[in-house]
Amino acid sequence: MARDTSDLTPIQAIDELVEHIRSGERPPSEFRIGTEHEKFPFRPADLSPVPYEGEAGIRALLEGMQAETGWEPILDEGRIIGLAGGAGEGAISLEPGGQFELSGAPLETIHETCAESNRHLAQARRVAEPLGMHFLGLGSSPLWRLDETPRMPKSRYAIMERYMPRVGTRGLDMMFRTTTIQVNLDFSSERDMARKMAVSLRLQPVASALFANSPFTDGAPNGEQSWRCGVWRDVDNQRSGLLPAAFEPGFGYRDYVDWALDVPMYFVTREGRYHDCTDITFRQFLDGAGQGRFPHPEPTHGDWTNHLSTLFPDVRLKRFLEMRGADGGPWRDICALPAFWVGLLYDEDALAEAEAMTRDWGFEEVAALRAAVPEKGLDAPFRAGTALDLARRALAISRGGLERRKRLNAEGLDETIFLGPLEDTAARGTTPAQELLRRFEGPWERRMEPLFRHLTY
């Protein structure tokens, strides 16, 4: 999230929180695709991470991108920490360890999404090259220890960094040493949201296996294909993982709101300052727990919007749905991830097929699949088969959905062209991580330099 919200409208009733989510409903003709991707800035001269300060640091990168794009700077206590397009073009933000993120605009087709990503990467390269900086497309930082990783000067991250060790063992790894690709998708009604939530929660481990791309940590293989997904198993289980209620009939907006209300907060912002609220839930905040702690302690709609952005389930509900299961990866994956989910969820026949495929998958067995994917990838067992079997079925459904959408580019090609990397993975039967490990143990002679060259944007 590039900028925290400062809507000061007071919250009068919990029903308003439900209506906040409901207000995201839109007809299928207005469905859009919002793609986000993160990458690691690094110095090609010595493969070191890039700090915020300095003449050639992250601050200089953001200032250069501001000049390149003309976007508005986002400031935190006077320091530039992101950019926002003034006409809805999207935003650029920093993750805690300097991961450089584009949150794309809501676009109609994946052709547009891919063009947007390519344009952003070209701009970023033009600015970064004179600064002696490149970008790495991988799901985890493969070389730098946690204590070697820079810290970005964002106030919310200071609160999170203090809090994470109290609620899990892997929160700091998540913050500072992982990247992801996400896609944000729309729903037309509460029922449509619930259908998409149920299907995408069940299939999220399958997506994680297809995109598994984080097999290195601290300069060596870490024993997992998706170290990033392994990290998420113990970040903060109160606010992350699967949502049991979404597996039940009748799941709706109020169920998600009730869950979110009982998750501890991170912060509230007042008069430009962040105030630590990690000791109270949002429900307690509504009941007056903010009194005497900071100016204007009455809960606001901005507080609720910010709180929703600090929840980390595998599929996150705001005024749209966020698919959160994929590792960061090479540029082709930036287009493949939205293609996979748009094909499944934006065509009615495909959504019905995906529902039929997953309807009887129970919470416990999906949780077991989710737990197995980090180490086993596409070989993770599920019933009488594996995640690879599920991936092939899901890809076939997605392909059919994209074909029926008939969104063509200038050459007359539909959006199925973006499934290519995933269909290659499924045909091969090995994850991107396994392919990286094969090269690392073979022609790369266990050296990190070829890995960085191979995955530089």
Side-chain angles (χ1 to χ4, degrees), residues 61-83:
L61 174 64
L62 284 171
E63 290 170 346
M65 289 296 288
Q66 181 187 357
E68 178 78 21
T69 62
W71 290 5
E72 171 193 357
I74 300 171
L75 304 179
D76 186 327
E77 297 185 355
R79 295 178 294 253
I80 185 170
I81 48 90
L83 301 169

Side-chain angles (χ1 to χ4, degrees), residues 86-136:
E89 302 99 328
I92 291 169
S93 60
L94 300 178
E95 291 299 303
Q99 303 96 314
F100 202 67
E101 178 177 7
L102 174 70
S103 298
L107 301 171
E108 292 189 43
T109 73
I110 304 163
H111 303 297
E112 293 173 317
T113 289
C114 211
E116 172 192 60
S117 295
N118 289 337
R119 183 169 57 251
H120 165 76
L121 292 173
Q123 292 171 331
R125 283 193 295 268
R126 282 196 296 271
V127 175
E129 286 283 355
L131 300 174
M133 191 186 307
H134 285 175
F135 299 99
L136 179 69

Side-chain angles (χ1 to χ4, degrees), residues 305-428:
T305 300
N306 291 335
H307 180 60
L308 291 178
S309 79
T310 70
L311 309 178
F312 306 129
D314 290 1
V315 181
R316 181 160 63 187
L317 178 60
K318 299 186 196 173
R319 286 187 269 197
F320 44 83
L321 288 164
E322 299 182 358
M323 307 297 124
R324 297 174 44 82
D327 284 1
W331 70 267
R332 293 177 72 200
D333 287 2
I334 301 171
C335 308
L337 190 277
F340 178 73
W341 288 113
V342 166
L344 286 168
L345 302 182
Y346 271 10
D347 174 78
E348 179 58 34
D349 290 346
L351 180 57
E353 287 183 64
E355 277 187 305
M357 172 183 169
T358 62
R359 184 176 290 113
D360 68 340
W361 296 8
F363 175 84
E364 294 297 336
E365 57 185 346
V366 174
L369 177 63
R370 181 180 184 268
V373 160
E375 180 181 351
K376 296 182 180 298
L378 291 167
D379 295 323
F382 187 82
R383 295 184 177 176
T386 66
L388 177 59
D389 302 320
L390 304 178
R392 288 171 173 166
R393 291 175 63 189
L395 282 167
I397 295 171
S398 178
R399 170 170 279 274
L402 294 176
E403 287 173 348
R404 287 185 291 273
R405 269 171 58 85
K406 296 181 180 178
R407 303 299 176 92
L408 309 182
N409 64 10
E411 289 75 42
L413 301 174
D414 66 26
E415 295 165 314
T416 59
I417 59 175
F418 301 114
L419 290 178
L422 304 183
E423 292 176 333
D424 289 347
T425 292
R428 195 175 58 236

